[in-house]
Amino acid sequence: MEVARAAAAVIAERTGADHHDVALVLGTGWKEAGTLLGETLAEIDNTDVPGFHGAALSGHTSSMRSVAIGDTGKRALVYGTRSHYYEGRGVRSVVQGVRTAAAAGCSAIVLTNGCGGLNPEWAPGTPVLISDHINLTATSPIEGANFVDLTDLYSPRLRQLAREVDGSLEEGVYVQFRGPHYETPAEVRMAMAIGGDLVGMSTSLEAIAARQSGLEVLGISLVTNPAAGISATPLNHEEVVEAGKAASARCGALLAQVVGRL
Ligand code: 8IG
C-alpha cells in the first residue's frame, strides 16, 4: 500500500491531475483500442513510477497515460501493460496498478485481457464481458486474515452499461491459470467442466485486489484464439496480437463509450 501511495504521488505530479476518476488496464489485443479513448494529456514511463515495470510482452506498452474523458473534465489513468503472476515478481507486483488506481482516487477500473475462448462460436476478435471468475493460481493478492467478499465482483451495473453501448456483448466466466504455457486440451476440458467460458493468465488477482480497495470492476476479455483443443491448430502469440488489431475499432468504441458514461 505504501508503494501504491508513492506511485500515486508521482502520477499526480507528472500528470498535473490531483486525482484520476477511472483506470484501465490494456491487456493483450487492446493496445489499438486504447488509442481511441481520448486525448492523452500526459504519458509516464512505467520505470519512473514506484512499483511498476516495463512490458514483458509484444503488443503491450511500457507506459501509462492520463487521458481526458470527452469534455467531462474527468481523467482516465490508462496502463499500457500489466505485471503477470507468471513473471515471478509476486502478487504485490501483479496488483500494484490496481492499488495505485485506488490511491490515485479512481472509483472504477476496467480490466481488459486477451484470452482463449471455450465457446467455438466466439471467433477471434470477439469481446466478452466477464461475469465472474475462477482463480486457479492458488494464490491471492490479499494478505492476512482479511476475508473479502467477492459476490458480484464484476459489477452488474457496469456490465449493464456496457451492454447498453453494445447490445450484442455476451458474458462468460474467466478462468485464470498461472501460465505462461497455454493449457493442455485436457485442462481446457476441465475449465469447461467447472463452468468456465474463457481461459487466461491475468485479471482475477487484479479484480480481487480491486474489490478489497473498493473499486468497481468491469472486466472485458477479447477472445483472441480458440483455447487449446477447441480448434485443430496450435496457439501462438502473433495470431493473438493480430486478432486484437482486427477488433480494435469495435473495442476502442466500446471502451470510450463505457468510460464516457461511468
Ligand atoms: I491471448 O488460450 C491468450 N491468453 N491461459 N490460454 C491462456 N491464456 C491465454 C490464451 C489461452 N490466449
Side-chain angles (χ1 to χ4, degrees), residues 18-261:
D18 65 354
H19 84 281
H20 282 75
D21 298 283
V22 56
L24 294 95
V25 180
L26 301 179
T28 298
W30 289 85
K31 181 169 145 182
E32 313 290 328
T35 63
L36 302 172
L37 265 170
E39 188 192 351
T40 297
L41 302 174
E43 180 160 10
I44 314 172
D45 205 282
N46 275 14
T47 53
D48 292 344
V49 186
F52 284 80
H53 301 270
L57 293 182
S58 71
H60 288 226
T61 305
S62 295
S63 63
M64 58 186 80
R65 294 181 289 132
S66 178
V67 173
I69 305 176
D71 49 16
T72 60
K74 292 187 178 176
R75 294 257 203 141
L77 178 60
V78 183
Y79 298 117
T81 191
R82 56 159 50 89
S83 193
H84 298 85
Y85 185 53
Y86 62 71
E87 291 173 62
R89 284 187 295 258
V91 280
R92 285 190 186 182
S93 174
V94 169
V95 300
Q96 170 68 357
V98 172
R99 295 205 163 124
T100 298
C106 294
S107 56
I109 189 162
V110 182
L111 302 172
T112 68
N113 64 55
C115 72
L118 303 188
N119 181 342
E121 286 173 16
W122 292 344
T126 306
V128 177
L129 296 174
I130 301 177
S131 57
D132 203 350
H133 78 224
I134 298 173
N135 170 17
L136 295 185
T137 63
T139 190
S140 169
I142 300 176
E143 298 171 36
N146 217 334
F147 306 109
V148 174
D149 177 73
L150 299 181
T151 310
D152 284 340
L153 175 55
Y154 298 87
S155 164
R157 183 183 84 86
L158 297 186
R159 278 148 57 198
Q160 176 60 29
L161 203 151
R163 282 192 304 266
E164 281 164 19
V165 169
D166 184 338
S168 65
L169 281 173
E170 294 194 68
E171 299 198 342
V173 172
Y174 180 88
V175 184
Q176 182 177 358
F177 285 82
R178 180 192 180 281
H181 50 273
Y182 294 120
E183 297 70 37
T184 63
E187 288 164 345
V188 168
R189 289 195 298 274
M190 175 192 77
M192 227 179 279
I194 63 177
D197 301 293
L198 308 159
V199 287
M201 308 178 193
S202 68
T203 305
S204 305
L205 297 173
E206 295 160 37
I208 295 167
R211 167 56 61 89
Q212 183 187 27
S213 305
L215 293 170
E216 219 178 346
V217 177
L218 179 64
I220 319 176
S221 285
L222 180 67
V223 175
T224 55
N225 57 276
I230 300 285
S231 99
T233 47
L235 312 186
N236 72 77
H237 186 64
E238 287 67 37
E239 72 169 346
V240 153
V241 173
E242 281 310 311
K245 285 189 184 144
S248 61
R250 181 179 179 193
C251 291
L254 173 62
L255 286 186
Q257 289 181 59
V258 166
V259 167
R261 293 182 191 202

